[in-house]
Amino acid sequence: MIIENSNFILEHIASSGQCFRMNKIKEAEFSVIAGGKVLLLKQLEEQKVLLSCSEKDFKEFWKDYFDLDYDYEGIVGGLVTGEDEFLKKAAAYGYGLRILKQELFETLITFIISQRKSIPAIKRCVEELCQRFGERKTDTAANMVYYTFPSPESLGKAGKEALREAGLGYRDEYVRQTALAVAKGDIDLDCLKTLSYEEALKELMKLPGVGIKVANCVALYGLHQIDAFPVDVWIDRILKDIYSNKFDVTIYNGYAGIVQQYMFYYIRSL
DNA sequence: TACCAGGGTTCTA
DNA sequence: TAGAACCATGGT
């Protein structure tokens, strides 16, 4: 099926460092694995995308996953015509970026893995985990064999050696213990969705390997707390070098996380 | 070959 | 309480 939507550029979303299982297949064509499904996408025009799924799957899952009901055009347009010179350039450069609504457990584990790793290394590591501990599936429409993201149970009972072989390094125990906590019900991920931003951060940071930065990424990409503003080494450089540590995030109340995403994407291109 | 990566935890002063 | 040291591994 074909959908038309403004501010939806696959190239930018796939390389924005918020999801690690969206890959470029060839020019303008991408695959993404989420929710136990695989989807192929092709950018036909700036506002036109071809999807391999049925209309039913689109309505029930992918539309929400790509947050297609939210008006990014208004926000990004506001930044482009705003007064902040850096954000003007960032918004123009990253036009088409959206904040995905990813599954909570996958977001939690992948961002625990992300610490002190480059994006290509994270993607490789996540794929390795899926192949070792996920479920093997075949999609006839996409003509693809793929692996789902592992369940909390399968990661919780994974051996330390197997996790090391997947390239987790010292994060192996973080992943195992966190997966175990979810599997045993020591933390109720669904319950996090009912909490405020601050309360959710507090709960997330009780988990091993989850500090303030990872918790903010989980809040933004997994809980869709759109005001979350994760500060990693790149954002930290911007706050210091561009804004002399005087950046006022409260100006962007209601969409700070989107601002953060455009900053991150732009600074990495420089 | 060095250096760095969407950091967190623990130790030390 | 703030800052330094340490952690394992892949990409460039």
Side-chain angles (χ1 to χ4, degrees), chain A residues 20-21 33-37 103-111 113 125-127 129-131 133-137 146-152 154-155 175 179:
Chain A
F20 305 105
R21 301 200 77 195
I33 301 166
K37 313 167 197 293
E103 286 156 290
L104 200 40
F105 179 66
E106 177 172 340
T107 312
L108 176 59
I109 297 298
T110 55
F111 277 96
I113 293 170
C125 192
V126 169
E127 209 49 49
L129 267 192
C130 294
Q131 290 192 15
F133 304 105
E135 188 186 340
R136 188 178 192 272
K137 284 192 172 182
Y146 65 101
Y147 294 84
T148 62
F149 193 81
S151 67
S154 70
L155 277 184
V175 167

PDB file of all heavy atoms in Angstrom, chain A residues 20-21 33-37 103-111 113 125-127 129-131 133-137 146-152 154-155 175 179:
ATOM      1  N   PHE A  20      17.513   0.402  16.019  1.00  0.00           N
ATOM      2  CA  PHE A  20      18.699  -0.301  15.534  1.00  0.00           C
ATOM      3  C   PHE A  20      18.377  -1.458  14.598  1.00  0.00           C
ATOM      4  O   PHE A  20      19.251  -2.217  14.231  1.00  0.00           O
ATOM      5  CB  PHE A  20      19.526  -0.766  16.735  1.00  0.00           C
ATOM      6  CG  PHE A  20      19.874   0.369  17.655  1.00  0.00           C
ATOM      7  CD1 PHE A  20      19.230   0.522  18.871  1.00  0.00           C
ATOM      8  CD2 PHE A  20      20.797   1.324  17.269  1.00  0.00           C
ATOM      9  CE1 PHE A  20      19.534   1.593  19.705  1.00  0.00           C
ATOM     10  CE2 PHE A  20      21.107   2.395  18.084  1.00  0.00           C
ATOM     11  CZ  PHE A  20      20.476   2.528  19.304  1.00  0.00           C
ATOM     12  N   ARG A  21      17.084  -1.577  14.222  1.00  0.00           N
ATOM     13  CA  ARG A  21      16.718  -2.662  13.321  1.00  0.00           C
ATOM     14  C   ARG A  21      16.023  -2.140  12.069  1.00  0.00           C
ATOM     15  O   ARG A  21      15.230  -2.846  11.445  1.00  0.00           O
ATOM     16  CB  ARG A  21      15.841  -3.697  14.055  1.00  0.00           C
ATOM     17  CG  ARG A  21      16.552  -4.293  15.263  1.00  0.00           C
ATOM     18  CD  ARG A  21      15.932  -5.602  15.659  1.00  0.00           C
ATOM     19  NE  ARG A  21      16.324  -6.687  14.777  1.00  0.00           N
ATOM     20  CZ  ARG A  21      15.707  -7.857  14.725  1.00  0.00           C
ATOM     21  NH1 ARG A  21      14.633  -8.069  15.473  1.00  0.00           N
ATOM     22  NH2 ARG A  21      16.137  -8.805  13.930  1.00  0.00           N
ATOM     23  N   ILE A  33      12.284  -4.263  11.391  1.00  0.00           N
ATOM     24  CA  ILE A  33      11.692  -5.371  12.143  1.00  0.00           C
ATOM     25  C   ILE A  33      11.229  -4.827  13.487  1.00  0.00           C
ATOM     26  O   ILE A  33      12.014  -4.217  14.217  1.00  0.00           O
ATOM     27  CB  ILE A  33      12.713  -6.503  12.356  1.00  0.00           C
ATOM     28  CG1 ILE A  33      13.204  -7.033  11.004  1.00  0.00           C
ATOM     29  CG2 ILE A  33      12.079  -7.642  13.170  1.00  0.00           C
ATOM     30  CD1 ILE A  33      14.429  -7.903  11.090  1.00  0.00           C
ATOM     31  N   ALA A  34       9.947  -5.023  13.775  1.00  0.00           N
ATOM     32  CA  ALA A  34       9.381  -4.553  15.049  1.00  0.00           C
ATOM     33  C   ALA A  34       8.069  -5.281  15.286  1.00  0.00           C
ATOM     34  O   ALA A  34       7.396  -5.691  14.329  1.00  0.00           O
ATOM     35  CB  ALA A  34       9.145  -3.043  15.012  1.00  0.00           C
ATOM     36  N   GLY A  35       7.730  -5.453  16.534  1.00  0.00           N
ATOM     37  CA  GLY A  35       6.458  -6.088  16.871  1.00  0.00           C
ATOM     38  C   GLY A  35       6.334  -7.503  16.325  1.00  0.00           C
ATOM     39  O   GLY A  35       5.232  -7.961  16.028  1.00  0.00           O
ATOM     40  N   GLY A  36       7.458  -8.165  16.147  1.00  0.00           N
ATOM     41  CA  GLY A  36       7.429  -9.522  15.613  1.00  0.00           C
ATOM     42  C   GLY A  36       7.149  -9.586  14.130  1.00  0.00           C
ATOM     43  O   GLY A  36       6.923 -10.648  13.560  1.00  0.00           O
ATOM     44  N   LYS A  37       7.152  -8.397  13.475  1.00  0.00           N
ATOM     45  CA  LYS A  37       6.869  -8.361  12.037  1.00  0.00           C
ATOM     46  C   LYS A  37       8.037  -7.715  11.306  1.00  0.00           C
ATOM     47  O   LYS A  37       8.856  -7.022  11.916  1.00  0.00           O
ATOM     48  CB  LYS A  37       5.627  -7.511  11.746  1.00  0.00           C
ATOM     49  CG  LYS A  37       4.426  -7.768  12.615  1.00  0.00           C
ATOM     50  CD  LYS A  37       3.409  -6.628  12.412  1.00  0.00           C
ATOM     51  CE  LYS A  37       2.379  -6.555  13.498  1.00  0.00           C
ATOM     52  NZ  LYS A  37       1.473  -7.689  13.512  1.00  0.00           N
ATOM     53  N   GLU A 103       8.873  -0.683  20.920  1.00  0.00           N
ATOM     54  CA  GLU A 103       8.447  -1.539  22.034  1.00  0.00           C
ATOM     55  C   GLU A 103       9.364  -1.321  23.228  1.00  0.00           C
ATOM     56  O   GLU A 103      10.579  -1.166  23.091  1.00  0.00           O
ATOM     57  CB  GLU A 103       8.483  -2.992  21.607  1.00  0.00           C
ATOM     58  CG  GLU A 103       7.345  -3.326  20.678  1.00  0.00           C
ATOM     59  CD  GLU A 103       7.682  -4.503  19.838  1.00  0.00           C
ATOM     60  OE1 GLU A 103       8.556  -4.359  18.968  1.00  0.00           O
ATOM     61  OE2 GLU A 103       7.101  -5.559  20.066  1.00  0.00           O
ATOM     62  N   LEU A 104       8.748  -1.340  24.390  1.00  0.00           N
ATOM     63  CA  LEU A 104       9.442  -0.927  25.603  1.00  0.00           C
ATOM     64  C   LEU A 104      10.631  -1.814  25.956  1.00  0.00           C
ATOM     65  O   LEU A 104      11.724  -1.316  26.233  1.00  0.00           O
ATOM     66  CB  LEU A 104       8.427  -0.878  26.743  1.00  0.00           C
ATOM     67  CG  LEU A 104       8.778  -0.054  27.959  1.00  0.00           C
ATOM     68  CD1 LEU A 104       9.456   1.240  27.582  1.00  0.00           C
ATOM     69  CD2 LEU A 104       7.522   0.207  28.763  1.00  0.00           C
ATOM     70  N   PHE A 105      10.422  -3.125  25.948  1.00  0.00           N
ATOM     71  CA  PHE A 105      11.508  -4.019  26.363  1.00  0.00           C
ATOM     72  C   PHE A 105      12.688  -3.926  25.400  1.00  0.00           C
ATOM     73  O   PHE A 105      13.850  -3.870  25.814  1.00  0.00           O
ATOM     74  CB  PHE A 105      10.998  -5.469  26.460  1.00  0.00           C
ATOM     75  CG  PHE A 105      12.068  -6.438  26.869  1.00  0.00           C
ATOM     76  CD1 PHE A 105      12.635  -6.359  28.136  1.00  0.00           C
ATOM     77  CD2 PHE A 105      12.522  -7.407  25.987  1.00  0.00           C
ATOM     78  CE1 PHE A 105      13.641  -7.244  28.512  1.00  0.00           C
ATOM     79  CE2 PHE A 105      13.525  -8.290  26.358  1.00  0.00           C
ATOM     80  CZ  PHE A 105      14.084  -8.213  27.623  1.00  0.00           C
ATOM     81  N   GLU A 106      12.387  -3.899  24.112  1.00  0.00           N
ATOM     82  CA  GLU A 106      13.458  -3.787  23.105  1.00  0.00           C
ATOM     83  C   GLU A 106      14.228  -2.478  23.275  1.00  0.00           C
ATOM     84  O   GLU A 106      15.455  -2.450  23.203  1.00  0.00           O
ATOM     85  CB  GLU A 106      12.863  -3.873  21.691  1.00  0.00           C
ATOM     86  CG  GLU A 106      13.908  -3.701  20.598  1.00  0.00           C
ATOM     87  CD  GLU A 106      13.380  -3.983  19.195  1.00  0.00           C
ATOM     88  OE1 GLU A 106      12.342  -4.669  19.078  1.00  0.00           O
ATOM     89  OE2 GLU A 106      14.001  -3.516  18.229  1.00  0.00           O
ATOM     90  N   THR A 107      13.503  -1.392  23.514  1.00  0.00           N
ATOM     91  CA  THR A 107      14.154  -0.095  23.699  1.00  0.00           C
ATOM     92  C   THR A 107      15.059  -0.118  24.927  1.00  0.00           C
ATOM     93  O   THR A 107      16.191   0.374  24.895  1.00  0.00           O
ATOM     94  CB  THR A 107      13.094   1.013  23.868  1.00  0.00           C
ATOM     95  OG1 THR A 107      12.127   0.876  22.850  1.00  0.00           O
ATOM     96  CG2 THR A 107      13.725   2.385  23.777  1.00  0.00           C
ATOM     97  N   LEU A 108      14.562  -0.716  25.987  1.00  0.00           N
ATOM     98  CA  LEU A 108      15.325  -0.800  27.230  1.00  0.00           C
ATOM     99  C   LEU A 108      16.641  -1.554  27.015  1.00  0.00           C
ATOM    100  O   LEU A 108      17.722  -1.066  27.368  1.00  0.00           O
ATOM    101  CB  LEU A 108      14.461  -1.495  28.295  1.00  0.00           C
ATOM    102  CG  LEU A 108      15.083  -1.790  29.654  1.00  0.00           C
ATOM    103  CD1 LEU A 108      15.561  -0.517  30.319  1.00  0.00           C
ATOM    104  CD2 LEU A 108      14.069  -2.500  30.550  1.00  0.00           C
ATOM    105  N   ILE A 109      16.552  -2.731  26.421  1.00  0.00           N
ATOM    106  CA  ILE A 109      17.756  -3.560  26.229  1.00  0.00           C
ATOM    107  C   ILE A 109      18.719  -2.924  25.217  1.00  0.00           C
ATOM    108  O   ILE A 109      19.926  -2.866  25.452  1.00  0.00           O
ATOM    109  CB  ILE A 109      17.363  -4.989  25.764  1.00  0.00           C
ATOM    110  CG1 ILE A 109      16.521  -5.686  26.843  1.00  0.00           C
ATOM    111  CG2 ILE A 109      18.602  -5.805  25.433  1.00  0.00           C
ATOM    112  CD1 ILE A 109      17.217  -5.887  28.177  1.00  0.00           C
ATOM    113  N   THR A 110      18.184  -2.420  24.107  1.00  0.00           N
ATOM    114  CA  THR A 110      19.096  -1.886  23.080  1.00  0.00           C
ATOM    115  C   THR A 110      19.836  -0.646  23.578  1.00  0.00           C
ATOM    116  O   THR A 110      20.986  -0.425  23.222  1.00  0.00           O
ATOM    117  CB  THR A 110      18.372  -1.569  21.761  1.00  0.00           C
ATOM    118  OG1 THR A 110      17.277  -0.681  22.008  1.00  0.00           O
ATOM    119  CG2 THR A 110      17.861  -2.815  21.090  1.00  0.00           C
ATOM    120  N   PHE A 111      19.178   0.159  24.436  1.00  0.00           N
ATOM    121  CA  PHE A 111      19.892   1.345  24.921  1.00  0.00           C
ATOM    122  C   PHE A 111      20.821   1.028  26.093  1.00  0.00           C
ATOM    123  O   PHE A 111      21.756   1.781  26.353  1.00  0.00           O
ATOM    124  CB  PHE A 111      18.923   2.488  25.208  1.00  0.00           C
ATOM    125  CG  PHE A 111      18.608   3.247  23.936  1.00  0.00           C
ATOM    126  CD1 PHE A 111      17.478   2.948  23.199  1.00  0.00           C
ATOM    127  CD2 PHE A 111      19.487   4.213  23.449  1.00  0.00           C
ATOM    128  CE1 PHE A 111      17.212   3.598  22.007  1.00  0.00           C
ATOM    129  CE2 PHE A 111      19.229   4.869  22.260  1.00  0.00           C
ATOM    130  CZ  PHE A 111      18.086   4.572  21.534  1.00  0.00           C
ATOM    131  N   ILE A 113      22.625  -1.639  25.823  1.00  0.00           N
ATOM    132  CA  ILE A 113      23.747  -2.078  24.989  1.00  0.00           C
ATOM    133  C   ILE A 113      24.487  -0.881  24.393  1.00  0.00           C
ATOM    134  O   ILE A 113      25.683  -0.921  24.160  1.00  0.00           O
ATOM    135  CB  ILE A 113      23.221  -2.996  23.856  1.00  0.00           C
ATOM    136  CG1 ILE A 113      22.696  -4.304  24.442  1.00  0.00           C
ATOM    137  CG2 ILE A 113      24.305  -3.272  22.823  1.00  0.00           C
ATOM    138  CD1 ILE A 113      21.949  -5.162  23.438  1.00  0.00           C
ATOM    139  N   CYS A 125      25.467  -5.845  17.246  1.00  0.00           N
ATOM    140  CA  CYS A 125      25.271  -6.550  18.500  1.00  0.00           C
ATOM    141  C   CYS A 125      23.797  -6.947  18.692  1.00  0.00           C
ATOM    142  O   CYS A 125      23.488  -8.072  19.102  1.00  0.00           O
ATOM    143  CB  CYS A 125      25.725  -5.611  19.609  1.00  0.00           C
ATOM    144  SG  CYS A 125      25.878  -6.365  21.188  1.00  0.00           S
ATOM    145  N   VAL A 126      22.889  -6.039  18.389  1.00  0.00           N
ATOM    146  CA  VAL A 126      21.448  -6.300  18.537  1.00  0.00           C
ATOM    147  C   VAL A 126      21.020  -7.414  17.574  1.00  0.00           C
ATOM    148  O   VAL A 126      20.274  -8.332  17.938  1.00  0.00           O
ATOM    149  CB  VAL A 126      20.627  -5.014  18.285  1.00  0.00           C
ATOM    150  CG1 VAL A 126      19.144  -5.326  18.172  1.00  0.00           C
ATOM    151  CG2 VAL A 126      20.877  -4.002  19.398  1.00  0.00           C
ATOM    152  N   GLU A 127      21.514  -7.357  16.359  1.00  0.00           N
ATOM    153  CA  GLU A 127      21.168  -8.375  15.373  1.00  0.00           C
ATOM    154  C   GLU A 127      21.659  -9.748  15.819  1.00  0.00           C
ATOM    155  O   GLU A 127      20.962 -10.755  15.660  1.00  0.00           O
ATOM    156  CB  GLU A 127      21.785  -7.994  14.010  1.00  0.00           C
ATOM    157  CG  GLU A 127      21.016  -8.503  12.822  1.00  0.00           C
ATOM    158  CD  GLU A 127      19.512  -8.213  12.903  1.00  0.00           C
ATOM    159  OE1 GLU A 127      19.142  -7.060  13.178  1.00  0.00           O
ATOM    160  OE2 GLU A 127      18.722  -9.156  12.706  1.00  0.00           O
ATOM    161  N   LEU A 129      22.092 -10.719  18.904  1.00  0.00           N
ATOM    162  CA  LEU A 129      21.212 -11.159  20.002  1.00  0.00           C
ATOM    163  C   LEU A 129      19.928 -11.768  19.451  1.00  0.00           C
ATOM    164  O   LEU A 129      19.453 -12.793  19.934  1.00  0.00           O
ATOM    165  CB  LEU A 129      20.835  -9.971  20.893  1.00  0.00           C
ATOM    166  CG  LEU A 129      21.669  -9.654  22.117  1.00  0.00           C
ATOM    167  CD1 LEU A 129      20.931  -8.637  22.973  1.00  0.00           C
ATOM    168  CD2 LEU A 129      21.979 -10.901  22.925  1.00  0.00           C
ATOM    169  N   CYS A 130      19.353 -11.096  18.452  1.00  0.00           N
ATOM    170  CA  CYS A 130      18.095 -11.573  17.859  1.00  0.00           C
ATOM    171  C   CYS A 130      18.280 -12.943  17.216  1.00  0.00           C
ATOM    172  O   CYS A 130      17.425 -13.819  17.344  1.00  0.00           O
ATOM    173  CB  CYS A 130      17.576 -10.573  16.828  1.00  0.00           C
ATOM    174  SG  CYS A 130      17.095  -9.010  17.564  1.00  0.00           S
ATOM    175  N   GLN A 131      19.410 -13.119  16.516  1.00  0.00           N
ATOM    176  CA  GLN A 131      19.640 -14.399  15.847  1.00  0.00           C
ATOM    177  C   GLN A 131      19.870 -15.521  16.847  1.00  0.00           C
ATOM    178  O   GLN A 131      19.490 -16.660  16.609  1.00  0.00           O
ATOM    179  CB  GLN A 131      20.825 -14.280  14.889  1.00  0.00           C
ATOM    180  CG  GLN A 131      20.491 -13.418  13.682  1.00  0.00           C
ATOM    181  CD  GLN A 131      21.524 -13.515  12.577  1.00  0.00           C
ATOM    182  OE1 GLN A 131      22.352 -14.414  12.556  1.00  0.00           O
ATOM    183  NE2 GLN A 131      21.470 -12.572  11.647  1.00  0.00           N
ATOM    184  N   PHE A 133      18.811 -15.487  20.223  1.00  0.00           N
ATOM    185  CA  PHE A 133      17.772 -15.673  21.243  1.00  0.00           C
ATOM    186  C   PHE A 133      16.362 -15.308  20.779  1.00  0.00           C
ATOM    187  O   PHE A 133      15.411 -15.466  21.532  1.00  0.00           O
ATOM    188  CB  PHE A 133      18.117 -14.859  22.495  1.00  0.00           C
ATOM    189  CG  PHE A 133      19.465 -15.180  23.052  1.00  0.00           C
ATOM    190  CD1 PHE A 133      20.527 -14.304  22.886  1.00  0.00           C
ATOM    191  CD2 PHE A 133      19.676 -16.379  23.711  1.00  0.00           C
ATOM    192  CE1 PHE A 133      21.777 -14.611  23.383  1.00  0.00           C
ATOM    193  CE2 PHE A 133      20.932 -16.689  24.218  1.00  0.00           C
ATOM    194  CZ  PHE A 133      21.989 -15.802  24.053  1.00  0.00           C
ATOM    195  N   GLY A 134      16.227 -14.781  19.574  1.00  0.00           N
ATOM    196  CA  GLY A 134      14.915 -14.421  19.060  1.00  0.00           C
ATOM    197  C   GLY A 134      14.257 -15.600  18.356  1.00  0.00           C
ATOM    198  O   GLY A 134      14.792 -16.699  18.322  1.00  0.00           O
ATOM    199  N   GLU A 135      13.091 -15.321  17.790  1.00  0.00           N
ATOM    200  CA  GLU A 135      12.343 -16.375  17.095  1.00  0.00           C
ATOM    201  C   GLU A 135      12.548 -16.211  15.585  1.00  0.00           C
ATOM    202  O   GLU A 135      12.417 -15.102  15.051  1.00  0.00           O
ATOM    203  CB  GLU A 135      10.856 -16.226  17.440  1.00  0.00           C
ATOM    204  CG  GLU A 135       9.986 -17.349  16.948  1.00  0.00           C
ATOM    205  CD  GLU A 135       8.497 -17.078  17.197  1.00  0.00           C
ATOM    206  OE1 GLU A 135       8.187 -16.222  18.067  1.00  0.00           O
ATOM    207  OE2 GLU A 135       7.665 -17.673  16.510  1.00  0.00           O
ATOM    208  N   ARG A 136      12.858 -17.315  14.910  1.00  0.00           N
ATOM    209  CA  ARG A 136      13.075 -17.283  13.469  1.00  0.00           C
ATOM    210  C   ARG A 136      11.734 -17.280  12.756  1.00  0.00           C
ATOM    211  O   ARG A 136      10.876 -18.106  13.049  1.00  0.00           O
ATOM    212  CB  ARG A 136      13.880 -18.500  13.030  1.00  0.00           C
ATOM    213  CG  ARG A 136      14.324 -18.488  11.586  1.00  0.00           C
ATOM    214  CD  ARG A 136      15.154 -19.752  11.303  1.00  0.00           C
ATOM    215  NE  ARG A 136      15.855 -19.684  10.033  1.00  0.00           N
ATOM    216  CZ  ARG A 136      15.349 -20.069   8.875  1.00  0.00           C
ATOM    217  NH1 ARG A 136      14.115 -20.538   8.847  1.00  0.00           N
ATOM    218  NH2 ARG A 136      16.055 -19.988   7.755  1.00  0.00           N
ATOM    219  N   LYS A 137      11.546 -16.336  11.841  1.00  0.00           N
ATOM    220  CA  LYS A 137      10.282 -16.250  11.123  1.00  0.00           C
ATOM    221  C   LYS A 137      10.526 -16.042   9.629  1.00  0.00           C
ATOM    222  O   LYS A 137      11.595 -15.581   9.227  1.00  0.00           O
ATOM    223  CB  LYS A 137       9.444 -15.080  11.649  1.00  0.00           C
ATOM    224  CG  LYS A 137       8.773 -15.334  12.990  1.00  0.00           C
ATOM    225  CD  LYS A 137       7.760 -14.249  13.279  1.00  0.00           C
ATOM    226  CE  LYS A 137       6.929 -14.574  14.501  1.00  0.00           C
ATOM    227  NZ  LYS A 137       5.908 -13.565  14.763  1.00  0.00           N
ATOM    228  N   TYR A 146      13.663 -13.625   9.002  1.00  0.00           N
ATOM    229  CA  TYR A 146      14.124 -12.646   9.978  1.00  0.00           C
ATOM    230  C   TYR A 146      13.968 -13.191  11.390  1.00  0.00           C
ATOM    231  O   TYR A 146      13.339 -14.231  11.593  1.00  0.00           O
ATOM    232  CB  TYR A 146      13.353 -11.329   9.825  1.00  0.00           C
ATOM    233  CG  TYR A 146      11.878 -11.425  10.125  1.00  0.00           C
ATOM    234  CD1 TYR A 146      11.365 -11.002  11.347  1.00  0.00           C
ATOM    235  CD2 TYR A 146      10.992 -11.956   9.188  1.00  0.00           C
ATOM    236  CE1 TYR A 146      10.009 -11.097  11.634  1.00  0.00           C
ATOM    237  CE2 TYR A 146       9.637 -12.062   9.471  1.00  0.00           C
ATOM    238  CZ  TYR A 146       9.152 -11.624  10.689  1.00  0.00           C
ATOM    239  OH  TYR A 146       7.818 -11.742  10.976  1.00  0.00           O
ATOM    240  N   TYR A 147      14.544 -12.481  12.352  1.00  0.00           N
ATOM    241  CA  TYR A 147      14.491 -12.911  13.756  1.00  0.00           C
ATOM    242  C   TYR A 147      13.850 -11.812  14.600  1.00  0.00           C
ATOM    243  O   TYR A 147      14.209 -10.647  14.489  1.00  0.00           O
ATOM    244  CB  TYR A 147      15.894 -13.226  14.273  1.00  0.00           C
ATOM    245  CG  TYR A 147      16.516 -14.411  13.597  1.00  0.00           C
ATOM    246  CD1 TYR A 147      17.180 -14.266  12.368  1.00  0.00           C
ATOM    247  CD2 TYR A 147      16.426 -15.682  14.145  1.00  0.00           C
ATOM    248  CE1 TYR A 147      17.735 -15.350  11.719  1.00  0.00           C
ATOM    249  CE2 TYR A 147      16.975 -16.782  13.507  1.00  0.00           C
ATOM    250  CZ  TYR A 147      17.635 -16.611  12.293  1.00  0.00           C
ATOM    251  OH  TYR A 147      18.172 -17.698  11.656  1.00  0.00           O
ATOM    252  N   THR A 148      12.904 -12.219  15.445  1.00  0.00           N
ATOM    253  CA  THR A 148      12.240 -11.238  16.311  1.00  0.00           C
ATOM    254  C   THR A 148      13.181 -10.853  17.459  1.00  0.00           C
ATOM    255  O   THR A 148      14.153 -11.555  17.733  1.00  0.00           O
ATOM    256  CB  THR A 148      10.961 -11.828  16.927  1.00  0.00           C
ATOM    257  OG1 THR A 148      11.330 -12.958  17.736  1.00  0.00           O
ATOM    258  CG2 THR A 148       9.993 -12.274  15.849  1.00  0.00           C
ATOM    259  N   PHE A 149      12.875  -9.766  18.130  1.00  0.00           N
ATOM    260  CA  PHE A 149      13.671  -9.391  19.297  1.00  0.00           C
ATOM    261  C   PHE A 149      13.379 -10.391  20.428  1.00  0.00           C
ATOM    262  O   PHE A 149      12.225 -10.762  20.639  1.00  0.00           O
ATOM    263  CB  PHE A 149      13.346  -7.964  19.752  1.00  0.00           C
ATOM    264  CG  PHE A 149      14.354  -7.439  20.733  1.00  0.00           C
ATOM    265  CD1 PHE A 149      15.557  -6.917  20.276  1.00  0.00           C
ATOM    266  CD2 PHE A 149      14.133  -7.505  22.091  1.00  0.00           C
ATOM    267  CE1 PHE A 149      16.520  -6.469  21.160  1.00  0.00           C
ATOM    268  CE2 PHE A 149      15.096  -7.066  22.994  1.00  0.00           C
ATOM    269  CZ  PHE A 149      16.293  -6.544  22.532  1.00  0.00           C
ATOM    270  N   PRO A 150      14.408 -10.831  21.137  1.00  0.00           N
ATOM    271  CA  PRO A 150      14.224 -11.855  22.179  1.00  0.00           C
ATOM    272  C   PRO A 150      13.264 -11.421  23.280  1.00  0.00           C
ATOM    273  O   PRO A 150      13.147 -10.231  23.582  1.00  0.00           O
ATOM    274  CB  PRO A 150      15.632 -12.033  22.756  1.00  0.00           C
ATOM    275  CG  PRO A 150      16.561 -11.460  21.760  1.00  0.00           C
ATOM    276  CD  PRO A 150      15.806 -10.409  21.014  1.00  0.00           C
ATOM    277  N   SER A 151      12.612 -12.394  23.889  1.00  0.00           N
ATOM    278  CA  SER A 151      11.712 -12.125  25.018  1.00  0.00           C
ATOM    279  C   SER A 151      12.537 -11.921  26.292  1.00  0.00           C
ATOM    280  O   SER A 151      13.698 -12.339  26.349  1.00  0.00           O
ATOM    281  CB  SER A 151      10.777 -13.311  25.215  1.00  0.00           C
ATOM    282  OG  SER A 151      11.530 -14.430  25.634  1.00  0.00           O
ATOM    283  N   PRO A 152      11.960 -11.306  27.317  1.00  0.00           N
ATOM    284  CA  PRO A 152      12.662 -11.161  28.600  1.00  0.00           C
ATOM    285  C   PRO A 152      13.096 -12.526  29.149  1.00  0.00           C
ATOM    286  O   PRO A 152      14.196 -12.653  29.684  1.00  0.00           O
ATOM    287  CB  PRO A 152      11.603 -10.529  29.501  1.00  0.00           C
ATOM    288  CG  PRO A 152      10.692  -9.804  28.577  1.00  0.00           C
ATOM    289  CD  PRO A 152      10.656 -10.620  27.321  1.00  0.00           C
ATOM    290  N   SER A 154      13.847 -15.353  27.464  1.00  0.00           N
ATOM    291  CA  SER A 154      14.974 -15.973  26.758  1.00  0.00           C
ATOM    292  C   SER A 154      16.281 -15.234  27.046  1.00  0.00           C
ATOM    293  O   SER A 154      17.335 -15.853  27.146  1.00  0.00           O
ATOM    294  CB  SER A 154      14.707 -16.045  25.259  1.00  0.00           C
ATOM    295  OG  SER A 154      14.733 -14.772  24.683  1.00  0.00           O
ATOM    296  N   LEU A 155      16.232 -13.929  27.215  1.00  0.00           N
ATOM    297  CA  LEU A 155      17.461 -13.196  27.546  1.00  0.00           C
ATOM    298  C   LEU A 155      17.851 -13.423  29.003  1.00  0.00           C
ATOM    299  O   LEU A 155      19.039 -13.477  29.329  1.00  0.00           O
ATOM    300  CB  LEU A 155      17.275 -11.690  27.305  1.00  0.00           C
ATOM    301  CG  LEU A 155      17.471 -11.197  25.875  1.00  0.00           C
ATOM    302  CD1 LEU A 155      17.361  -9.687  25.824  1.00  0.00           C
ATOM    303  CD2 LEU A 155      18.801 -11.655  25.301  1.00  0.00           C
ATOM    304  N   VAL A 175      22.336  -6.648  30.891  1.00  0.00           N
ATOM    305  CA  VAL A 175      21.249  -7.154  30.039  1.00  0.00           C
ATOM    306  C   VAL A 175      20.570  -8.355  30.694  1.00  0.00           C
ATOM    307  O   VAL A 175      19.345  -8.426  30.761  1.00  0.00           O
ATOM    308  CB  VAL A 175      21.794  -7.529  28.632  1.00  0.00           C
ATOM    309  CG1 VAL A 175      20.770  -8.342  27.849  1.00  0.00           C
ATOM    310  CG2 VAL A 175      22.175  -6.262  27.869  1.00  0.00           C
ATOM    311  N   ALA A 179      16.765  -8.204  32.034  1.00  0.00           N
ATOM    312  CA  ALA A 179      15.795  -9.116  31.408  1.00  0.00           C
ATOM    313  C   ALA A 179      15.140  -9.996  32.461  1.00  0.00           C
ATOM    314  O   ALA A 179      13.926 -10.238  32.432  1.00  0.00           O
ATOM    315  CB  ALA A 179      16.493  -9.967  30.346  1.00  0.00           C
TER     316      ALA A 179
END
